[in-house]
């Protein structure tokens, strides 16, 4: 029964958060059933709306996986947002260059550059943590600001579009663009690449020696040292993989969604990835499901706002409430299973 407790706590947390959200709607004079109906209809009500949801799920899942890999290894990469921005710009640079390449090669090269850019940006705080004991939470947050401001400069000055709005690059070459799969939506073939990457990361973290070493280094560094492992080296590996995944998330936003880099290319997807990962205890397979759930909420929130007077920002409140309940898992488990003391955490 114990292995089902966290899923039950998570599901119960979501139900309670939606209930509290409904109470808030009632207090402002809105019908919760109508609001939630509009939310889920706006994200799942038609094939096109589902396609839009899956498109947003792509970046959210990759950001969640980036967080999960690092956190499972005991190093807290809070900088996925900055790594995402640099990955997006690296993909844009390749997409604007190398004209004449075959489409598969051009897309693969742009994705590789995005992964490398994200990995390099994550490597720096990883080394600072392992070699100099500098707090990676602080360094990753600081480097996120540097990455966002640096790309803002690039897109407004040396790489500004020759035509069109301020704060964006030119459109990348068609050979670097993932093909759109559903008319009038942004759903594109990068979704299937994301699913493949998610399954590979899940297999790596749960079924391989490398994944076991990384998980053990995160759970018990002292035991890992006695077992002949170097926890610091495992943290570096984790940061490289984490940064690469965040960079790819940004790259796919360019190659599959916007076809150019622009300011505010991410409305906080990197930080959403942290919440997604925390909610499923950094389980890579759970990240896929939670990425879809977050995509449903984000995609449907605008439809909810249009159909009712409920602001789309209420979805952020609901997300925060879910996190609050999940963070209090121990006490919530005692409440659900009516157990005492240590039995609840068995």
């Amino acid at each position: 029964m114990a292995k089902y407790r966290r899923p039950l706590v998570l599901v119960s947390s979501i139900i309670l958060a939606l209930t509290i959200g409904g109470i808030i709607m009632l207090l402002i004079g809105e019908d919760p059933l109508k609001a939630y109906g509009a939310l889920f209809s706006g994200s799942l009500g038609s094939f096109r709306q589902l396609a839009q949801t899956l498109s947003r799920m792509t970046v959210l899942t990759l950001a969640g996986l980036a967080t999960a890999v690092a956190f499972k290894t005991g190093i807290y990469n809070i900088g996925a947002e900055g790594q995402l921005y640099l990955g997006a710009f690296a993909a844009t640079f390749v997409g604007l260059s190398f004209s004449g390449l075959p489409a598969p090669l051009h897309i693969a090269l742009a994705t590789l550059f995005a992964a490398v850019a994200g990995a390099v940006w994550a490597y720096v705080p990883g080394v600072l943590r392992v070699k100099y004991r500098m707090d990676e939470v602080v360094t990753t947050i600081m480097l996120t600001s540097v990455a966002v401001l640096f790309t803002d400069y690039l897109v407004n000055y040396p790489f500004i579009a020759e035509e069109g709005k301020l704060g964006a690059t030119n459109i990348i070459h068609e050979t670097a663009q993932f093909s759109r799969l559903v008319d009038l939506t942004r759903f594109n073939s990068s979704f299937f690449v994301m699913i493949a990457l998610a399954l590979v990361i899940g297999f790596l973290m749960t079924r391989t020696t490398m994944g076991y070493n990384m998980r053990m280094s995160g759970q018990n560094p002292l035991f890992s040292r006695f077992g002949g492992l170097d926890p610091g080296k495992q943290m570096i590996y984790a940061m490289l993989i984490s940064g690469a995944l965040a960079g790819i998330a940004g790259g796919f936003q360019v190659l599959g969604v916007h076809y150019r880099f622009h300011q505010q290319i991410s409305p906080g997807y990197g930080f959403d990835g942290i919440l997604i990962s925390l909610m499923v205890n950094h389980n890579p397979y759970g990240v896929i499901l939670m990425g879809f759930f977050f995509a449903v909420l984000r995609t449907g929130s605008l439809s909810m706002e249009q159909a009712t007077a409920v602001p789309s920002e209420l979805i952020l409140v609901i997300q925060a409430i879910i996190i609050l309940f999940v963070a209090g898992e121990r006490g919530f488990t005692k409440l659900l299973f009516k157990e005492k003391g240590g039995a609840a955490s068995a």
Side-chain angles (χ1 to χ4, degrees):
M1 185 67 180
K3 66 179 181 179
Y4 299 113
R5 289 183 181 179
R6 186 170 185 90
L8 285 173
V9 168
L10 179 57
V11 171
S12 301
S13 299
I14 291 172
I15 293 172
L16 279 174
L18 292 174
T19 302
I20 294 172
I23 294 172
I24 295 173
M25 293 175 193
L26 287 172
L27 291 175
I28 63 175
E30 290 295 325
D31 182 358
L33 294 179
K34 180 181 178 182
Y36 283 135
L39 185 148
F40 289 108
S41 176
S43 55
L44 303 171
S46 71
F47 187 66
R48 283 199 175 97
Q49 287 159 334
L50 174 61
Q52 288 285 66
T53 299
L54 294 179
S55 175
R56 185 161 289 178
M57 174 188 171
T58 300
V59 62
L60 288 170
T61 302
L62 286 170
L65 288 171
T67 300
V69 171
F71 279 40
K72 270 293 187 184
T73 315
I75 186 165
Y76 301 102
N77 180 16
I78 310 297
E81 183 80 352
Q83 294 144 25
L84 185 154
Y85 265 82
L86 286 181
F89 192 85
T92 304
F93 177 78
V94 176
L96 293 170
S97 310
F98 307 108
S99 59
L101 284 178
L105 180 59
H106 205 170
I107 291 173
L109 187 62
T111 302
L112 176 63
F113 269 62
V116 171
V120 169
W121 208 244
Y123 176 77
V124 174
V127 169
L128 292 176
R129 159 67 190 279
V130 172
K131 299 292 186 182
Y132 304 104
R133 303 297 179 187
M134 294 181 65
D135 190 333
E136 72 276 13
V137 173
V138 175
T139 55
T140 51
I141 290 175
M142 292 175 65
L143 286 173
T144 292
S145 298
V146 173
V148 172
L149 293 174
F150 177 60
T151 54
D152 282 354
Y153 162 75
L154 292 175
V155 79
N156 279 292
Y157 293 98
F159 290 91
I160 192 170
E162 297 171 0
E163 298 179 359
K165 62 183 180 180
L166 184 68
T169 65
N170 290 322
I171 299 293
I172 61 175
H173 295 300
E174 289 188 9
T175 52
Q177 298 176 9
F178 281 107
S179 55
R180 297 277 170 86
L181 301 179
V182 179
D183 292 339
L184 304 179
T185 74
R186 292 177 168 180
F187 182 59
N188 61 85
S189 49
S190 68
F191 171 80
F192 300 102
V193 181
M194 176 275 291
I195 292 295
L197 282 172
L199 294 176
V200 168
I201 293 299
F203 181 82
L204 171 71
M205 294 301 294
T206 60
R207 301 293 179 183
T208 68
T209 301
M210 181 180 181
Y212 174 79
N213 292 341
M214 292 167 68
R215 286 186 288 112
M216 288 306 301
S217 296
Q219 293 171 9
N220 196 328
L222 183 60
F223 175 81
S224 299
R225 288 191 181 92
F226 279 114
L229 295 176
D230 183 350
K233 185 180 294 185
Q234 301 303 318
M235 289 180 180
I236 295 294
Y237 292 157
M239 286 297 280
L240 288 172
I241 297 172
S242 177
L245 288 168
I248 291 172
F252 283 2
Q253 282 296 98
V254 170
L255 304 177
V257 177
H258 302 290
Y259 296 152
R260 71 198 306 171
F261 184 94
H262 61 79
Q263 284 180 294
Q264 309 300 323
I265 196 168
S266 167
Y269 289 135
F271 298 111
D272 284 343
I274 297 173
L275 301 181
I276 289 168
S277 181
L278 285 171
M279 288 172 66
V280 293
N281 196 27
H282 319 303
N283 182 301
Y285 298 118
V287 165
I288 301 174
L289 297 176
M290 199 51 56
F292 177 72
F293 176 68
F294 266 57
V296 167
L297 294 181
R298 285 300 185 93
T299 304
S301 61
L302 293 178
S303 297
M304 179 183 71
E305 187 174 64
Q306 291 169 358
T308 66
V310 178
S312 59
E313 286 77 12
L314 181 63
I315 296 303
L316 301 178
V317 176
I318 291 173
Q319 291 177 4
I321 294 171
I322 296 172
I323 291 295
L324 181 64
F325 282 131
V326 172
E329 178 186 359
R330 184 182 179 90
F332 201 39
T333 302
K334 287 175 63 177
L335 178 64
L336 283 176
F337 297 99
K338 298 181 180 179
E339 294 182 353
K340 297 180 180 180
S345 60

